[in-house]
Amino acid sequence: MARWTLSGLLRGGEEALKGMKLVLRNPNLRKQKFLRIFAYLCGVSILLFCITKILVTVPMVLLRLVLWLWWSEEPERADAALETASSFIHDSVSFIPLLALLFIRYLYAKPLDDLFMESLRYIDTCRPETPSYAEAMAARHFRREYWANLKSYLQRTGKKLRLGLLLYVVSFLPYVGRFVFPAAGVYTTWRSLGNTQGIAVGVCFCFLPSWAILRLVRALVGMRALMRELLEPYFTRMNMSHKEKRQWFSSRKDVLFGFSAIAYCITRLPYVGFMGYGIAQAAAAYMLTVVAEPPPQQSNKQD
């Protein structure tokens, strides 16, 4: 396992900003083909935003009616219960738009893959003295195994949802409940950055309120998952096994963690998070050229 460094973490954040700046300067992304991709992301964003609003509004209206009938003589108690329920529902559905976008991505990967490859081509034009990354990647077979990839994504997502629900339930247990999310944060940070950082995060979590711990743990898990999804066009062409992917990430963990922190923040922006995902997808191509050499070229062409 490679050694984690603070300079590597800061470098990852810096390279993320450089990559996004490079993406926004790319004149080819203003052509009709890529404008359609961003329009597609915008349309998906609006649709999923409406669905999320419905998922929040309908349960809240029903709950308000039930509380009004049950505790009509104790409005303060009803308001407290309503506030607790509202917070829980908002937390539960806040990840639905991003999860749904990734689900759609596995059903139809071409738009985001085109965005990734176009960014590589533009980076090559900005660095004519270096070997062509886009050419080496385009020569590798892009396996469109929709159902296999979709099944793998659903299994990963289902596992995270089950684990999240289990942690949430266990957190209500007396005595041990308050340590559940700090322990989850320690484990997630340990897997991402190593022993020292995991212990440091666990100590910090002991002094934070439960709502802050919950959001930080969710962010750490989301950052790990997001980085993997952004680099999926590369992994698909390299035909890596799960073990090989873990080794690949382990040797670059600090830089990729810094990049994923910036990418996670822009994908969580209200209303424009999906556009942010498109920018992060294109910037991930730049990040790839920073942390890895171009793969050996192959004779078979991209489908």
Side-chain angles (χ1 to χ4, degrees), residues 75-107:
E76 292 182 0
R77 188 177 177 186
D79 288 343
L82 192 64
E83 183 178 350
T84 301
S86 176
S87 176
F88 174 74
I89 292 173
H90 276 88
D91 284 343
S92 300
V93 304
S94 62
F95 268 96
I96 287 178
L98 182 58
L99 291 176
L101 175 63
L102 295 177
F103 176 81
I104 294 171
R105 179 234 178 89
Y106 280 97
L107 283 179

Side-chain angles (χ1 to χ4, degrees), residues 101-241:
L101 175 63
L102 295 177
F103 176 81
I104 294 171
R105 179 234 178 89
Y106 280 97
L107 283 179
Y108 186 49
K110 192 175 186 303
L112 291 172
D113 186 77
D114 288 346
L115 196 59
F116 184 89
M117 291 301 296
E118 170 54 37
S119 295
L120 283 180
R121 285 189 284 269
Y122 181 67
I123 292 166
D124 284 345
T125 63
C126 295
R127 300 173 176 176
E129 71 283 356
T130 61
S132 174
Y133 218 116
E135 184 178 340
M137 290 287 287
R140 288 180 168 265
H141 182 59
F142 180 51
R143 298 174 298 111
R144 294 186 174 93
E145 298 177 354
Y146 296 116
W147 294 114
N149 292 336
L150 182 59
K151 180 182 177 181
S152 176
Y153 169 70
L154 290 176
Q155 288 174 339
R156 293 195 305 271
T157 303
K159 181 179 178 181
K160 292 185 180 74
L161 292 176
R162 290 194 302 271
L163 180 59
L165 181 60
L166 176 63
L167 291 176
Y168 185 78
V169 172
V170 174
S171 68
F172 286 101
L173 293 176
Y175 305 114
V176 299
R178 64 188 299 264
F179 300 107
V180 170
F181 285 113
V186 170
Y187 178 72
T188 304
T189 310
W190 169 73
R191 290 198 62 184
S192 299
L193 296 176
N195 298 336
T196 305
Q197 293 70 38
I199 294 171
V201 167
V203 172
C204 293
F205 278 5
C206 291
F207 301 97
L208 294 176
S210 58
W211 63 266
I213 295 172
L214 179 61
R215 283 170 171 75
L216 286 172
V217 171
R218 191 170 60 189
L220 289 170
V221 173
M223 286 161 54
R224 278 176 53 87
L226 180 63
M227 194 69 247
R228 184 204 181 284
E229 302 299 340
L230 291 175
L231 289 171
E232 185 62 21
Y234 173 73
F235 293 135
T236 300
R237 288 178 170 83
M238 296 302 292
N239 196 21
M240 287 186 178
S241 66

Side-chain angles (χ1 to χ4, degrees), residues 214-290:
L214 179 61
R215 283 170 171 75
L216 286 172
V217 171
R218 191 170 60 189
L220 289 170
V221 173
M223 286 161 54
R224 278 176 53 87
L226 180 63
M227 194 69 247
R228 184 204 181 284
E229 302 299 340
L230 291 175
L231 289 171
E232 185 62 21
Y234 173 73
F235 293 135
T236 300
R237 288 178 170 83
M238 296 302 292
N239 196 21
M240 287 186 178
S241 66
H242 178 68
K243 182 179 180 181
E244 289 171 334
K245 290 177 186 178
R246 290 190 63 179
Q247 292 174 342
W248 192 92
F249 273 109
S250 178
S251 62
R252 304 163 175 85
K253 57 186 177 182
D254 48 359
V255 179
L256 294 177
F257 190 88
F259 179 91
S260 66
I262 301 296
Y264 180 82
C265 288
I266 68 168
T267 59
R268 296 290 292 166
L269 292 174
Y271 308 109
V272 296
F274 291 93
M275 296 292 288
Y277 185 88
I279 293 172
Q281 177 69 88
Y286 170 76
M287 192 69 221
L288 178 63
T289 66
V290 171

